[in-house]
């Protein structure tokens, strides 16, 4: 016997929880399936730009997160080859859609803030989706424990290895041949770093760090992929220190990595979805859709992966609620007719969501990949661009991509 649900969301990450909370704010219940036994964190912290703060405010958790994280006011870029500062740009600026706001946010605090606002029982842990099939106007979601959920709407927020994206016809994300080593360190006392985004550009790599509160610092190194060190934090740490040891980087910067515990270092291969897949592919089909990394896996140069997932959640909740809350036609009497009419309304809502998110996703994926290609290139042209043009250009680009209006949560 199948368990019947109205809306099932696969994945309790940023996109999944934001979508569920957005729907909850609009009076619509959903069920979130998470394959692991608890909320998962990958990456320790993430950049939250202006566009994402609007989403966090829309679902009611922006102010609580602001109290726990420092606002970042400056971007400083330095060449590790010459030791010369190549760019300095203030983030204390006004965009087309309001004042800019940038903070580095602890990922677990973000997920906990989202989940705490959801009604009890919304998230169902240890629920791994293994297959999906169509059953009339419904989808049958088969779980690893043998149980089956019957749902009107299925939303895939299940990351880069998304089962739902595969069902929609998307290919697995493409490897770039690059990797990102990330770490987070919590000092016992005030670290003394100013609230600035510090970046260091070198030959074939980019290192950066930024504080998220008085004692916590998040750092990253983007470099070529190496499977041998991928699962070995000792090798990762040694590799990062070797990269920083041979270039013009202040000792206090190296100390950030030296003080990072091994269980606070991870490495991830960088993957992205080809933009033309989103141009021609099915973001939605048969009342199934995807959001977050399941929709637009991208490289991290713009710091917009998590931000775009928050955007997705607000837009998807608005479009889905707008379709779900429309009144049934008074002429619809039979159950089959009611189900067909509801199916069509939901389909229109998901098509609206797909239309709104398609070009935004394509733009972010393409821009991030291009910046990553230049910042880690070794050719004469890419080296010139990286050392002379990219730092100042990137700082402005970060603000430009964050200055985006995707509408309000409320239904007009």
């Amino acid at each position: 016997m199948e368990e019947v649900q109205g809306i099932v969301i696969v994945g309790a990450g940023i996109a999944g929880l934001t979508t569920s909370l957005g729907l909850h704010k609009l009076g619509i219940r959903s069920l979130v399936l998470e394959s692991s036994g608890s909320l998962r964190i990958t990456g320790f912290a993430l950049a939250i730009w202006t566009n994402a703060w609007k989403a966090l405010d829309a679902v009611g958790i922006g102010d609580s997160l602001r109290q726990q994280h420092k606002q970042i006011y400056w971007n400083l870029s330095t060449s590790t080859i010459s030791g010369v500062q190549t760019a300095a740009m203030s983030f204390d600026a006004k965009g087309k859609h309001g004042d800019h706001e940038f903070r580095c946010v602890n990922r677990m605090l973000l997920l906990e803030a989202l989940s705490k606002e959801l009604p009890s029982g919304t998230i169902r842990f240890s629920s791994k989706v293994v297959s999906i099939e169509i059953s009339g106007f419904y989808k049958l979601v088969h779980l690893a424990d043998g149980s089956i959920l019957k749902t009107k709407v299925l939303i895939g927020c299940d990351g880069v290895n998304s089962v739902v994206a595969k069902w929609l016809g998307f290919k697995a994300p493409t490897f770039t041949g690059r990797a990102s080593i990330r770490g987070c360190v919590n000092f016992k006392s005030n670290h003394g770093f100013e609230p600035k985004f510090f970046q260091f550009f070198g030959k074939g790599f980019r290192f950066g760090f930024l504080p998220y509160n008085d004692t916590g610092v998040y750092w990253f190194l983007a470099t070529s992929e190496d499977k041998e060190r991928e699962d070995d934090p000792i090798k990762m740490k040694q590799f990062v220190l070797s990269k920083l040891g041979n270039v013009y980087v202040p000792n206090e910067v190296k100390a950030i990595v030296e003080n990072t515990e091994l269980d606070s270092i991870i490495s991830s291969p960088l993957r992205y979805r080809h933009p033309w897949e989103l141009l021609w592919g099915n973001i939605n089909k048969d009342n199934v859709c995807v959001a977050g990394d399941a929709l637009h896996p991208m490289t991290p140069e713009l710091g917009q992966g998590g931000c775009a997932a928050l955007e997705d959640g607000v837009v998807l909740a608005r479009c889905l609620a707008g379709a779900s809350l429309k009144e049934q036609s008074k002429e619809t009497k039979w159950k089959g007719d009611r189900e067909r009419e509801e199916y069509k309304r939901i389909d229109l809502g998901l098509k609206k969501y797909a239309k709104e998110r398609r070009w935004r996703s394509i733009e972010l994926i393409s821009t991030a990949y291009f910046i990553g290609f230049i910042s880690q290139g070794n050719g004469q042209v890419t080296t010139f661009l990286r050392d002379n043009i990219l730092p100042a250009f990137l700082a402005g680009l970060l603000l430009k991509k964050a200055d985006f209006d995707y509408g309000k949560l409320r239904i007009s």
Side-chain angles (χ1 to χ4, degrees):
M1 186 71 181
E2 304 103 352
E3 176 187 344
V4 180
Q5 294 285 340
I7 300 173
V8 170
I9 300 170
V10 185
I14 295 172
L17 294 180
T18 304
T19 302
S20 183
L21 183 52
L23 288 168
H24 173 61
K25 294 287 182 181
L26 295 172
I28 297 176
R29 182 184 178 278
S30 62
L31 175 67
V32 181
L33 303 178
E34 172 53 48
S35 61
S36 63
S38 61
L39 292 176
R40 290 186 295 173
I41 56 168
T42 303
F44 309 116
L46 71 158
I48 298 294
W49 294 89
T50 315
N51 52 320
W53 284 109
K54 292 178 180 178
L56 294 173
D57 286 335
V59 296
I61 64 170
D63 286 341
S64 66
L65 288 170
R66 286 184 179 94
Q67 294 173 9
Q68 301 174 78
H69 301 91
K70 283 184 172 294
Q71 184 165 352
I72 306 296
Y73 289 100
W74 280 87
N75 173 79
L76 300 179
S77 299
T78 302
S79 169
T80 61
I81 298 171
S82 65
V84 175
Q85 183 175 296
T86 53
M89 182 171 182
S90 173
F91 290 144
D92 188 12
K94 191 175 185 67
K96 292 180 179 178
H97 306 290
D99 294 335
H100 280 288
E101 181 178 5
F102 173 44
R103 286 175 168 86
C104 179
V105 172
N106 182 290
R107 188 178 291 263
M108 179 52 80
L109 291 179
L110 171 58
L111 294 179
E112 287 177 347
L114 288 166
S115 64
K116 284 177 182 177
E117 294 296 314
L118 290 170
S120 177
T122 298
I123 306 173
R124 189 174 296 178
F125 294 105
S126 302
S127 301
K128 181 178 176 60
V129 174
V130 293
S131 65
I132 304 159
E133 63 175 310
I134 298 175
S135 177
F137 297 116
Y138 293 82
K139 304 299 163 294
L140 299 181
V141 183
H142 296 262
L143 305 184
D145 63 4
S147 58
I148 302 173
L149 297 176
K150 186 177 182 180
T151 182
K152 298 174 183 177
V153 184
L154 180 62
I155 303 171
C157 301
D158 43 343
V160 294
N161 298 312
S162 171
V163 173
V164 181
K166 184 177 180 181
W167 187 87
L168 285 171
F170 284 114
K171 297 178 182 178
T174 300
F175 288 93
T176 62
R178 297 182 284 125
S180 177
I181 302 174
R182 292 163 286 171
C184 188
V185 58
N186 289 293
F187 292 93
K188 293 180 180 179
S189 58
N190 193 310
H191 48 61
F193 291 110
E194 294 181 89
K196 298 177 180 179
F197 183 14
F198 299 87
Q199 296 192 79
F200 299 85
F201 291 83
K203 188 175 182 180
F205 78 94
R206 180 171 69 106
F207 178 84
F209 75 92
L210 58 169
Y212 57 84
N213 57 28
D214 289 333
T215 58
V217 176
Y218 169 70
W219 60 265
F220 65 87
L221 176 82
T223 185
S224 58
E225 186 180 3
D226 185 341
K227 294 187 181 298
E228 288 188 11
R229 65 170 183 262
E230 193 171 293
D231 298 317
D232 189 335
I234 296 177
K235 289 184 178 179
M236 292 180 217
K237 187 172 184 177
Q238 290 174 342
F239 176 79
V240 176
L241 289 172
S242 69
K243 280 286 187 182
L244 299 181
N246 298 321
V247 293
Y248 289 100
V249 173
N251 289 330
E252 57 265 31
V253 175
K254 298 173 186 176
I256 294 173
V257 180
E258 290 169 347
N259 283 283
T260 304
E261 300 292 338
L262 293 178
D263 61 359
S264 295
I265 302 176
I266 61 170
S267 178
S268 304
L270 299 181
R271 293 181 277 182
Y272 73 106
R273 191 174 303 291
H274 289 301
W276 53 85
E277 280 194 70
L278 291 180
L279 184 61
W280 305 114
N282 292 312
I283 295 175
N284 73 291
K285 182 178 71 173
D286 296 320
N287 288 1
V288 177
C289 73
V290 282
D293 282 346
L295 169 62
H296 45 60
M298 67 184 75
T299 54
E301 285 75 20
L302 296 176
Q304 279 290 339
C307 298
L310 286 161
E311 287 183 13
D312 291 342
V314 169
V315 176
L316 181 51
R318 180 180 68 234
C319 292
L320 197 51
S324 301
L325 295 177
K326 286 183 179 178
E327 293 184 5
Q328 290 272 2
S329 170
K330 294 180 180 179
E331 300 175 358
T332 304
K333 298 180 180 180
W334 305 105
K335 179 181 178 182
D337 292 335
R338 292 198 303 271
E339 289 181 338
R340 182 178 292 103
E341 184 178 318
E342 184 178 32
Y343 178 91
K344 289 181 178 179
R345 290 202 318 271
I346 293 170
D347 180 56
L348 288 174
L350 293 182
K351 284 180 178 176
K352 188 174 187 295
Y353 159 74
K355 182 179 179 180
E356 289 191 33
R357 299 308 295 164
R358 190 182 305 275
W359 284 107
R360 172 65 167 167
S361 300
I362 289 172
E363 178 190 31
L364 291 176
I365 290 172
S366 303
T367 307
Y369 181 84
F370 176 71
I371 295 298
F373 176 77
I374 293 176
S375 65
Q376 290 182 235
N378 290 318
Q380 287 185 334
V381 175
T382 54
T383 298
F384 174 81
L385 292 173
R386 181 188 66 231
D387 296 343
N388 298 280
I389 297 175
L390 181 61
F393 174 72
L394 178 57
L397 193 64
L398 294 174
L399 291 181
K400 184 178 180 181
K401 297 306 175 187
D403 191 17
F404 180 74
D405 182 14
Y406 48 91
K408 306 291 185 182
L409 176 63
R410 65 176 182 267
I411 304 168
S412 58

